[in-house]
Structure formats: structure tokens, C-alpha cells
Amino acid sequence: MNRRERRKRIFNPVPQGEVIVDADSWHENCSSNNVRHHTTFAETFQIEFWYDKHYWDRLHQGDDDGERVGIEFEFVEPLVIKSYKYLLYYSLKHKDLLFVNHPPPKERNRTLRVVLRQAFNDKATLNVVVEYHFISLNKVEATIVTAMSKDDFYLGDNQYAIEFDGDDSTLYRYVNFKVVEVDSYNAEE
């Protein structure tokens, strides 16, 4: 063989056709090294949107400075829809975060409200205060209590806030006059 001549390489051919998965084979999942998949199902779940008169008045009448800009429903609704999966994630991970009020309480001051935050490039941070209530096994009521476009929005004692940055989020809680980072979710991990 000549020194300048390269050796022939062995190439593995790319399999063509359909890959057949053995349904009777044993696999690994989060619980065990030897499991067999049985069924996948999807459950239908409804979230009813409501908005409080306080939000309506703030949006349409504004304050002494005029109408509030940046709290329109076109910005608020997608944030509330997006947040539900993250709230579910955090509440399954942290037992003290029960974001759904159940059953609807008789006293309004005992309800848990969550603040949802979304920063935009061209305006102040959107802060949406939402209250969730259990209605039935497949229905939750989400009431938009208020919304403000403000960078220095204050939380109440023991109140949770989720701040979104694209598909990533960070969970905060206001405890003993401090905002404490509780957890975060990185979509790429």
C-alpha cells in the first residue's frame, strides 16, 4: 500500500425502513429499571377566565395619570394561559404552594393570590395578580384581580410570584420583608 493512499473505511449502512419496537420488551422509567408501557391517556381540563371589576376599572378608567398602558387583555391572557403549566410544576414540587383555593372560602382575605410577571423589552414589567378556585374535578376558575405595568411591584406577606423570561421561569416568595428565590425552571434542561 502506498503511503499516500488512504485506507478504505468501513461504513455502517443507515437502516432503511420502519423501526419496529417490541411491545413486550422491558424498559426503564423513573420508577423502575424493568417496566413495560401499558397505556397513555389525556385528560380534558377547563380553566375559566374571569376578570374582576378592579382590573376592568384600572384598564378602562386608569388613574390620575390617565389610562393604564400595557395591561390590556391581549398581554394578560397569554401570560395567564402560559403560567398554568408552570404553576402545576411548582406546586407538585413544593408542597406549600397550593395555588388553587379549595373550596372557595367564605372570607376573601384568606385566599391565595399569585403574581405573574413578564418583562418586555420596550415597557415596564407586566404584573398580573390571579386567584384560582376549584370548581369541579375538571374545571378551575382563574380570576384576574388586577394588573400593573410597573417594575417595582410589591408582594404581600407569604405571596408567591412567578417571573417569566421566555420559556424559563423563577418562583419567588415574599417572606419576612424579603423577596426570596424559591426555585426556577429552565426549559432547556
Side-chain angles (χ1 to χ4, degrees), residues 53-147:
K53 187 172 185 324
H54 179 76
Y55 167 70
W56 180 263
D57 290 345
R58 183 176 289 270
L59 175 63
H60 293 287
Q61 295 172 3
D63 57 6
D64 295 337
D65 299 330
E67 274 192 32
R68 300 288 179 130
V69 178
I71 63 168
E72 293 84 4
F73 206 63
E74 65 193 57
F75 300 116
V76 171
E77 183 183 27
L79 181 59
V80 176
I81 291 171
K82 171 184 179 176
S83 70
Y84 191 77
K85 292 177 186 177
Y86 292 85
L87 281 166
L88 193 58
Y89 166 77
Y90 288 127
S91 69
L92 290 172
K93 193 172 176 186
H94 301 278
K95 294 179 183 179
D96 58 337
L97 174 58
L98 303 172
F99 72 96
V100 176
N101 296 288
H102 177 85
K106 306 276 188 275
E107 301 175 32
R108 286 279 174 212
N109 62 350
R110 297 206 182 261
T111 59
L112 176 68
R113 292 177 175 173
V114 179
V115 177
L116 309 174
R117 293 178 167 172
Q118 176 75 52
F120 295 97
N121 294 338
D122 57 342
K123 54 186 165 188
T125 302
L126 173 63
N127 299 279
V128 181
V129 180
V130 184
E131 193 173 299
Y132 296 89
H133 287 277
F134 173 84
I135 302 301
S136 66
L137 290 176
N138 65 344
K139 189 184 293 185
V140 168
E141 182 180 275
T143 303
I144 300 164
V145 178
T146 191

Side-chain angles (χ1 to χ4, degrees), residues 85-87 89-91 93-94 97 160-165 167-173 180-189:
K85 292 177 186 177
Y86 292 85
L87 281 166
Y89 166 77
Y90 288 127
S91 69
K93 193 172 176 186
H94 301 278
L97 174 58
Y160 286 96
I162 298 178
E163 190 169 300
F164 291 95
D165 182 14
D167 288 335
D168 299 339
S169 70
T170 305
L171 176 67
Y172 295 99
R173 186 175 188 183
V180 179
E181 183 177 325
V182 178
D183 200 356
S184 62
Y185 178 80
N186 187 343
E188 292 180 10
E189 291 180 359

Side-chain angles (χ1 to χ4, degrees), residues 27-36:
H27 300 281
E28 182 178 342
N29 74 358
C30 296
S31 300
S32 174
N33 292 332
N34 294 309
V35 291
R36 199 179 277 167

